Amino acid sequence: MNFFEHQRAAKGTTLKLVLLFGAAVLALVAAINAAAVIALVYLTKDYGGIDASSILAVVIVVTAITLLVIAGGTLFKTISLRQGGTAVAAAVGAVPVDPTTTDPQLRRYVNIVEEMSLASGVPAPRLFVMPGEPGINAFAAGFTPADAAIAVTGGALAQLNRDELQGVIAHEFSHILNGDMRLNIRLIGLLSGILLIGMIGLRLLQFGGRGSDSKRALPLVAFAFAMMVLGYVGVFFANVIKAAVARQREWLADASAVQFTRQTDGLEGALKKIGGIPTGSRLRNSRNAAEVSHMLFGEGARRSFTSLFATHPPLTDRIRALNPSFDPREIAELQQRYANQAPDGLAEDVAAGFAPAGTALGRPTLAPEQPANPGWHTSPEQVVSRAGTFTSDDLKYGAALHARIPDDVRKLASQPTTAPAAVIALLLEPSSGGLHVRQLASVNEHLGPTQAREAAALADRMRALPPELRLPVVALALPQIATHSRAEQDALITVLNALAVADEKVTMFEYCLTRLVSNYVLDTNDPARRSKVGSGSLTGVRPVVTTLLATLAVAGGADQNVAAQSLDIALQRLYGDNARPENPRRLSWQQTLDEGWAALDALDPRAKQALVEAMVEAVLHDGTVTAAEAELLRAACGLMHVPLPALLG
């Protein structure tokens, strides 16, 4: 199942869940109505009983109130999590990690995540740690990759070696790339709405019996008791549904982690350590841990007496799926070993040669030369099959790219205070001309003199970066830009657009940078709305598709005939043998694309897959791939929320 099929499947799973929860809510409403009618009949039996019209009125009122309570509880919880991954991480008491940290455990964590980000084509997620948790666990949360957060326990950082931590992070990246995070947040909201019924019943039970007329209070107490019981019964079945969905997604994430890293030792070792250490994967101190149980890498609490509530497959089953020769007695041996001394992940890294003794950063030794490209000599279908995933070659490529980014540049991009200036500096012209002065005046006008001075100081350093490192640096800077206020983000976007058009022409890199930053800001400020799977068709977007494919065809610098042939072939792939290019040039190519990105993003997953294949066809047809082509292809995929691995080498 590829990325686009995952999107369609996730949409279908969401619909099934809505129907299941809808059925549970209807059953709950019916049961509460029955309890209310019984209580009412009991209260009125001494006064001649109650007529059918009154019963109907009670049913209507109770139904309306119950639905409002459930909807209100769901809406309140969903709104509280509207900011995505950061809100979920904060809810369990996780603290943010500074991407420029020099702490050996945290540095290793940051390196692994940033390498996977560059390998997969998604912005680096924001990182959190649960420092008071000695168990080994982690989770990914958010609506889109742009607002994603990854949190790990302090126990995972301390006790896992680099391969094992990489396996756990790869598992969490699978949840990001497969669209599981949005589903997980929806589950939290739905459960909160149903739970609220039980909580209200409990409150009514506590206070409803107070009064002098115990006979009249009895039916009210019985009704409150019924509400409480029915509410918690509803939660029971909702948790069963949640657990079943979670177990399925965990199997998929384990398989994806192996696909990403092309080795099972890391993930298998992490699972074995969970079985071996006394604390396992349990969360002891985190607030609201039960709410995120279905998001976690391992069970967050002691395994339930029944497998119906288990949000994860049995640990031994997960290990055996990775290694069929696994003997469960190994867990008992590890328990004896770790009872005396907990595992030390950094020490294991040093022994394995990942880092020299004394530094223990857990960073693999990489050749300083430019990494080989992992995949342009292939077909469009093969390239598109890598969307929303990555291979071990991509991971090596991402690690090599990460290693090639100079430490000072990576630090500039990884700090909230300097990230905007670093991105601005990528668009500044050389300081020797008058254009540079006008650009700095624009920065000063919108962001102030401090940002103007900092950007000017970084201009030569940032412009010296090789072309294949520019967008990766932007990808590292995006999460830091997201920490600024919306007003500051809007001002930055205004400045970037002004710098791009300052010389009255827009290069491919300038266009890609400005649109990626703008799109990321939109995603982070409204992740719930921006993460919906579309249903549009290619028929209504043909003019903008023609412009996009034409722009890709000419970006390689080939002669006009070759570019026209590339466009024809790409259009034929989408619209058939009789396809002819439409002339969309009522506006510039930039303006046409800007008006069309929302419609392209709203395409049905199958249509989106076909479009990306046509885009790759337009790029590959002439047999070469330029920096401009690679940047526009990856940016276009990013604007359509299709993560594509780094392909420029």
Side-chain angles (χ1 to χ4, degrees), residues 139-485:
F139 68 84
F143 285 98
T144 71
D147 75 298
I150 291 179
V152 300
T153 58
L157 294 179
Q159 297 172 95
L160 298 180
N161 61 42
R162 193 183 204 278
D163 276 348
E164 293 163 349
L165 185 61
Q166 186 184 65
V168 172
I169 299 301
H171 176 104
E172 299 309 323
F173 256 81
S174 169
H175 288 311
I176 294 174
L177 294 169
N178 289 335
D180 296 341
M181 300 185 302
R182 178 183 173 88
L183 179 62
N184 287 336
I185 289 183
R186 295 297 187 210
L187 283 171
I188 293 177
L190 290 168
L191 281 166
S192 296
I194 294 176
L195 178 61
L196 189 57
I197 292 292
M199 295 174 65
I200 291 175
L202 179 60
R203 285 293 182 186
L204 290 175
L205 188 62
Q206 289 173 337
F207 299 104
R210 297 180 181 179
S212 57
D213 191 346
S214 59
K215 182 179 179 180
R216 293 180 61 84
L218 180 61
L220 296 177
V221 171
F223 174 66
F225 180 76
M227 275 192 66
M228 181 189 72
V229 171
L230 291 170
Y232 286 106
V233 167
V235 171
F236 171 88
F237 286 107
N239 275 317
V240 170
I241 297 171
K242 179 185 80 169
V245 173
R247 288 194 299 272
Q248 180 187 24
R249 310 311 288 177
E250 290 306 305
W251 282 123
L252 175 61
D254 280 354
S256 296
V258 173
Q259 176 187 338
F260 296 163
T261 61
R262 280 296 187 270
Q263 53 99 0
T264 62
D265 291 346
L267 190 60
E268 180 185 349
L271 292 170
K272 285 180 177 178
K273 282 183 176 177
I274 287 176
I277 63 174
T279 50
S281 57
R282 295 190 303 277
L283 298 184
R284 300 192 311 181
N285 304 319
S286 292
R287 304 186 306 273
N288 302 323
E291 287 189 340
V292 299
S293 61
H294 58 299
M295 297 183 177
L296 297 171
F297 174 74
E299 292 277 3
R302 291 187 183 275
R303 195 167 183 86
S304 171
F305 67 91
T306 172
S307 60
L308 286 175
F309 290 130
T311 53
H312 295 68
L315 194 66
T316 53
D317 289 355
R318 293 175 72 182
I319 299 173
R320 191 173 285 112
L322 299 169
N323 178 10
S325 64
F326 164 69
D327 185 345
R329 288 178 294 184
E330 292 181 47
I331 297 296
E333 294 173 1
L334 289 175
Q335 288 172 344
Q336 291 182 343
R337 182 196 308 175
Y338 296 148
N340 299 319
Q341 183 175 1
D344 186 334
L346 290 178
E348 293 176 19
D349 283 345
V350 173
F354 274 124
T359 61
L361 294 181
R363 187 168 184 169
T365 302
L366 295 165
E369 67 269 11
Q370 181 170 319
N373 186 300
W376 274 116
H377 302 292
T378 183
S379 68
E381 291 82 2
Q382 289 173 318
V383 172
V384 173
S385 71
R386 298 167 61 201
T389 184
F390 54 93
T391 66
S392 58
D393 287 339
D394 292 320
L395 189 54
K396 292 175 184 176
Y397 181 70
L401 273 182
H402 189 262
R404 290 183 63 219
I405 297 174
D407 287 341
D408 62 324
V409 173
R410 183 187 54 75
K411 188 173 182 179
L412 289 168
S414 300
Q415 295 182 116
T417 54
T418 55
V423 173
I424 290 170
L426 287 168
L427 297 183
L428 290 178
E429 293 295 321
S431 56
S432 57
L435 180 57
H436 177 83
V437 175
R438 294 197 301 274
Q439 287 180 317
L440 288 181
S442 180
V443 178
N444 181 74
E445 176 186 355
H446 295 284
L447 293 174
T450 301
Q451 286 282 20
R453 286 194 301 270
E454 291 178 355
L458 298 175
D460 292 339
R461 183 74 181 101
M462 300 304 293
R463 288 181 61 84
L465 287 174
E468 68 273 11
L469 296 184
R470 296 181 299 188
L471 286 184
V473 168
V474 174
L476 296 181
L478 289 176
Q480 311 312 316
I481 292 172
T483 64
H484 291 259
S485 69

Side-chain angles (χ1 to χ4, degrees), residues 95-101 106 109-110 127-129 157:
V95 297
V97 174
D98 178 4
T100 64
T101 179
L106 295 176
Y109 174 32
V110 172
L127 303 184
F128 293 82
V129 65
L157 294 179

